Amino acid sequence: MSEPSPTRPKRRGRLLRFGAALLVLCGVAAYLVVQYVTGGGAARGCTVVSDAGDGASYEFSPEQAVNAATIAAVGTGRGMPPRAVTIALATAIQESGLRNIEHGDRDSLGLFQQRPSQGWGTAQQIMDPAYAAGIFYAHLAKVPDYTGLPLTVAAQRVQRSGFPEAYAKHESDATLLAAALTGTAAATLTCDGRPQPGATTTGPDAVRSALVRDFGRDALQETGAEVGGVPVPSPSPAPSVTASAQGQTVTVPVPQGTRTDASGRGERQRGWQLAQWAVANSSALHIQRVSYGGLEWTAGSSADQWRTASPDGASGAEQSTGAVRIVTGR
């Protein structure tokens, strides 16, 4: 009887090693795809919950929170309804994971993976989140009856994606985000507020610049903002700033009474949008505390919840609905 060929075990070994390597590569590829689509890889420092008591929630990173807040602010600044903001957020979650990325299919860039070669703007413009959101809304507004269409249909009319059904799976998360970041839902967004590594734009000036970046000078002008008790002349509005042992407080007045903003929302919604915008930007801008409507959020709190506001220097109007108070580090 002939002896077994010594080459067979070697071949089996090579095949096993090849198969194992292939499995590892497939696993890595699948992981990268999931990270790209969901915006994973960063620590989940923020959470938004449903105000309907159904237990629905969505966790996301500080980077995603800043971009989502910008998308919402640009939308309401253009007078777009919350449904439009939901469509925009679902689209950005699918296209970039709410990350302002410098790559994509062919020349696609940014939050919405818009292409300079297709007339969306220059690469520099598209990489500006406020511009990218604005041009998305400009195209969405041209879609007939977009608020009555299924989300994936409305998004596809703008994006012309090769995967038109992909937007639908993000609708529930986008709805939660839109409710918080348009002020429709109060005290539903929290972040741990841990400063982002390398963040250098901090303090009241950074907060005011970010407010103008997202809401625009015209949106802030109507608040009658003051600095040091002196009205700020047009066209350079700026919320007032005071200093204390705890840090510097940026006070953003909220329009009173029946006044509404461009999208027709009243003061309560406007106030909660500004307050939850500040929480979403807390890691990027080193914001320590935000208060509005008798509630306050504090960075690094164990429960990451909105609680009854402390009375340290806040007037009755600020504790109710008169202003949003944003405390930053010195």
Side-chain angles (χ1 to χ4, degrees):
M1 185 172 65
S2 61
E3 295 182 359
S5 170
T7 62
R8 290 178 181 174
K10 292 181 180 179
R11 289 176 180 170
R12 291 196 197 96
R14 284 197 296 269
L15 288 172
L16 287 173
R17 287 194 296 272
F18 178 80
L22 185 60
L23 286 174
V24 170
L25 287 173
C26 289
V28 171
Y31 173 81
L32 291 174
V33 168
V34 169
Q35 296 302 297
Y36 174 80
V37 171
T38 63
R44 294 316 202 210
C46 300
T47 303
V48 62
V49 300
S50 170
D51 64 349
D54 55 10
S57 65
Y58 174 57
E59 295 183 355
F60 49 111
S61 71
E63 176 191 5
Q64 293 170 307
V66 171
N67 291 326
T70 294
I71 291 170
V74 171
T76 56
R78 285 175 166 260
M80 304 295 279
R83 178 63 174 173
V85 176
T86 298
I87 294 168
L89 288 169
T91 301
I93 293 172
Q94 169 60 28
E95 295 290 351
S96 67
L98 280 173
R99 294 174 299 152
N100 195 29
I101 53 180
E102 298 179 354
H103 56 81
D105 179 46
R106 288 169 283 190
D107 59 338
S108 299
L109 296 168
L111 291 173
F112 296 91
Q113 289 292 278
Q114 294 155 337
R115 299 179 59 191
S117 64
Q118 300 301 306
W120 287 93
T122 66
Q124 182 178 5
Q125 287 175 322
I126 291 171
M127 289 302 296
D128 175 358
Y131 171 89
I135 198 70
F136 177 89
Y137 287 121
H139 281 74
L140 180 63
K142 297 177 182 178
V143 176
D145 191 32
Y146 69 85
T147 58
L149 295 174
L151 182 145
T152 193
V153 173
Q156 176 63 3
R157 296 273 175 88
V158 176
Q159 295 293 107
R160 307 296 182 186
S161 169
F163 303 94
E165 300 301 321
Y167 305 108
K169 64 179 177 286
H170 303 295
E171 182 166 4
S172 60
D173 294 335
T175 300
L176 292 178
L177 274 175
L181 292 171
T182 62
T184 304
T188 58
L189 188 149
T190 57
C191 294
D192 60 27
R194 287 177 293 182
Q196 290 182 0
T200 57
T201 53
T202 61
D205 288 342
V207 171
R208 289 181 293 188
S209 294
L211 283 164
V212 171
R213 175 199 69 202
D214 287 357
F215 292 94
R217 291 186 180 276
D218 290 344
L220 294 179
Q221 177 64 43
E222 68 181 17
T223 65
E226 297 182 355
V227 174
V230 179
V232 178
S234 176
S236 302
S240 63
V241 178
T242 57
S244 68
Q246 288 74 37
Q248 299 185 80
T249 300
V250 179
T251 301
V252 186
V254 178
Q256 295 290 296
T258 59
R259 294 181 63 186
T260 58
D261 62 15
S263 60
R265 300 167 310 135
E267 66 179 88
R268 182 178 180 277
Q269 279 185 259
R270 177 67 164 177
W272 277 113
Q273 178 176 25
L274 288 164
Q276 293 183 119
W277 173 92
V279 173
N281 280 272
S282 58
S283 290
L285 299 175
H286 292 198
I287 292 171
Q288 298 174 352
R289 190 166 73 248
V290 180
S291 60
Y292 178 68
L295 299 176
E296 73 177 9
W297 162 91
T298 304
S301 61
S302 59
D304 276 343
Q305 294 178 348
W306 287 85
R307 301 178 181 277
T308 302
S310 61
D312 55 328
S315 69
E318 291 169 346
Q319 289 274 356
S320 57
T321 58
V324 176
R325 300 173 70 244
I326 304 169
V327 180
T328 73
R330 289 185 174 277

